[in-house]
Amino acid sequence: MAPKKVLLLCGDYMEDYEAMVPFQALQAYGVSVDAACPGKKAGDSCRTAVHQGIGHQTYAESRGHNFALNASFDEAVHREYLAMDEKVLDLVRKFSDAKKPIASVCHGQLILAAAGVVQNRKCTAYPAVKPVLVAAVAYDAHPEFINLFVKALGGSVTGSNKRILFLCGDYMEDYEVMVPFQSLQALGCHVDAVCPDKGAGEKCPTAIHDFEGDQTYSEKPGHDFALTASFDNVDASSYDALVIPGGRAPEYLALNDKVISLVKGFMDKAKPVASICHGQQILSAAGVLQGRKCTAYPAVKLNVVLGGATWLEPNPIDRCFTDGNLVTGAAWPGHPEFISQLMALLGIKVSF
C-alpha cells in the first residue's frame, strides 16, 4: 500500500500546539505530512500563537514558536482570513468531494463552513465557533482527535498497552513535553507526567525555545502544562518507559537526589528511556551514560562527554539515535524520529 500523505493547512497565528502536535505525531507514525500556507513557500515560516485559559472568560494569547513550512501552497494543489481565500476553500472542497479524511480543530471549522462542506454533519469546535466538520474542542483533545484521524486514514495501532512516565519541571521546553506526551496518548498508551514537589492537577510553566537566526535559541513563555500524577506517590516500577523533556528544567532537576534515583531505576532495569535536548544533563548527573552512545543539544556535549558517553553529532539537528534501551535527540525538530524510535523499543506499531 502506498504511504499515506496528509496536507496541513497553515496560516499566521494558528495555535502553536494545534499545528505542531498533529504534524509531528503523524510523521512519527510513518505518515508523510506537508505543511503549506497561501502566499508562502517551502522554507518560509508561519508565526504561531499560544492560546490558554487562565481563569478569564476567554483565552489569552501570546507569541508561540515559528512554524517552518515544508511545502508551497500553489504547488501542493488562519482561520478567519483563510476562510476568505477562494484557493483555500476550493482545496477543502476537493478533499471533501473526494471523501478523503479531513480533521479540523478549534477555529479551523470556520474554513469548513465557508467551503460549504459541513451541511448535515455532526461535529464540535471551540465553543465560540459553531460551524464545524470533524473536530476537537481544543488542543487538550488532541489524543482522541489524532487517534480518530489515524483510523479515518485506515490505520490501526498494535502494542500500545504501555505505561509511560514523563519527568517534568518548570520551564521545560513547550514542544518537548506536549508533542511526545500527546503523540503517545493518541496511540492508546497510558501516559503520566510528574514533577518533584508538585501533585496531580498542578501545572508547570514551559518555555518556548526557538531558532530565529541568533547564535543560540531564543526563549518566550509557553503553555502551562498540567501534571497528571504526584511525584512522591508515583510507583516507577509500574511504568514501561521514561521520557525526559529538555528546556531549562533539567538544569535543576539534575541536582535532585530523588530524580537521580528514579532515572537510575529505569536504566538499571534496562527499560526504555527517551531523553531530548538538555534532558541529557540529568542522565549525565545520574552516571548512566558511561559507555553509551548518545546525542543532545550541542551545548550539552560537555555534559555527555564528561558523563562517559561517546558523542554522536546531531547533524542535521533533527537526527536521533537509539543505543540499547536509550533514545536521545538534540531538539524538538527531531520529534518524529524521537517518538518513532521510542515506539520501536516499546513494540508499538502503526499500520496502514
Side-chain angles (χ1 to χ4, degrees):
M1 182 180 294
K4 297 294 181 181
K5 191 169 185 177
V6 171
L7 178 64
L8 186 67
L9 183 57
C10 302
D12 283 335
Y13 295 103
M14 56 191 174
E15 211 288 327
D16 200 357
Y17 279 167
E18 290 171 8
M20 187 58 83
V21 174
F23 181 73
Q24 291 192 320
L26 290 169
Q27 288 179 317
Y29 305 159
V31 177
S32 174
V33 187
D34 284 340
C37 173
K40 297 191 180 188
K41 61 184 184 299
D44 290 345
S45 294
C46 285
R47 291 187 175 187
T48 71
V50 171
H51 288 174
Q52 59 183 355
I54 51 174
H56 302 301
Q57 292 182 345
T58 189
Y59 55 84
E61 178 173 299
S62 58
R63 276 284 307 278
H65 295 80
N66 293 314
F67 185 94
L69 303 169
N70 64 351
S72 299
F73 182 86
D74 290 338
E75 294 175 2
V77 234
H78 167 238
R79 263 77 78 185
E80 289 92 343
Y81 77 84
L82 290 180
M84 295 183 287
D85 189 319
E86 282 301 322
K87 289 184 179 179
V88 169
L89 302 184
D90 183 57
L91 177 70
V92 171
R93 292 184 192 112
K94 287 179 179 177
F95 272 82
S96 180
D97 291 345
K99 300 190 183 307
K100 292 184 177 181
I102 297 175
S104 179
V105 68
C106 198
H107 289 70
Q109 290 78 282
L110 287 169
I111 299 173
L112 303 177
V117 299
V118 294
Q119 189 76 25
N120 299 320
R121 306 304 292 262
K122 296 178 181 179
C123 45
T124 188
Y126 186 73
V129 182
K130 290 185 178 179
V132 291
L133 181 52
V134 178
V137 172
Y139 55 76
D140 289 343
H142 274 155
E144 183 179 7
F145 175 73
I146 295 169
N147 182 272
L148 290 172
F149 190 56
V150 168
K151 290 179 179 178
L153 288 170
S156 61
V157 181
T158 57
S160 62
N161 58 334
K162 303 298 190 298
R163 291 172 55 85
I164 301 166
L165 184 65
F166 274 62
L167 178 57
C168 301
D170 287 348
Y171 296 105
M172 57 191 168
E173 211 288 327
D174 197 9
Y175 278 167
E176 290 173 4
V177 61
M178 185 59 94
V179 173
F181 187 84
Q182 291 193 322
S183 297
L184 292 165
Q185 284 183 317
L187 294 170
C189 299
H190 177 93
V191 189
D192 278 327
V194 297
C195 173
D197 303 317
K198 294 191 181 187
E202 294 189 73
K203 295 182 178 181
C204 288
T206 69
I208 291 173
H209 287 173
D210 214 346
F211 307 96
E212 302 180 292
D214 302 309
Q215 292 184 343
T216 188
Y217 53 81
S218 62
E219 179 171 300
K220 297 183 284 285
H223 299 79
D224 291 332
F225 183 87
L227 303 167
T228 63
S230 168
F231 182 88
D232 289 336
N233 297 331
V234 73
D235 177 11
S237 66
S238 70
Y239 292 92
D240 300 294
L242 177 68
V243 177
I244 306 175
R248 285 198 285 112
E251 296 173 355
Y252 76 89
L253 290 178
L255 305 176
N256 187 308
D257 289 340
K258 291 181 179 179
V259 167
I260 298 302
S261 177
L262 177 75
V263 171
K264 283 183 175 179
F266 276 87
M267 291 295 289
D268 289 346
K269 293 180 175 60
K271 291 184 176 182
V273 173
S275 181
I276 194 164
C277 196
H278 288 70
Q280 286 80 301
Q281 290 177 311
I282 297 175
L283 300 180
S284 179
V288 298
L289 291 181
Q290 188 69 40
R292 307 305 292 260
K293 298 177 181 178
C294 73
T295 192
Y297 187 70
V300 185
K301 179 178 180 178
L302 185 60
N303 299 75
V304 169
V305 173
L306 292 178
T310 298
W311 173 255
L312 299 176
E313 194 67 36
N315 185 20
I317 196 68
D318 59 358
R319 190 171 182 191
C320 298
F321 299 91
T322 297
D323 178 33
N325 67 313
L326 180 63
V327 177
T328 54
W332 56 257
H335 276 151
E337 277 194 29
F338 183 73
I339 297 164
S340 65
Q341 289 183 28
L342 177 59
M343 288 169 58
L345 287 183
L346 289 168
I348 302 171
K349 186 175 182 181
V350 180
S351 303
F352 292 96

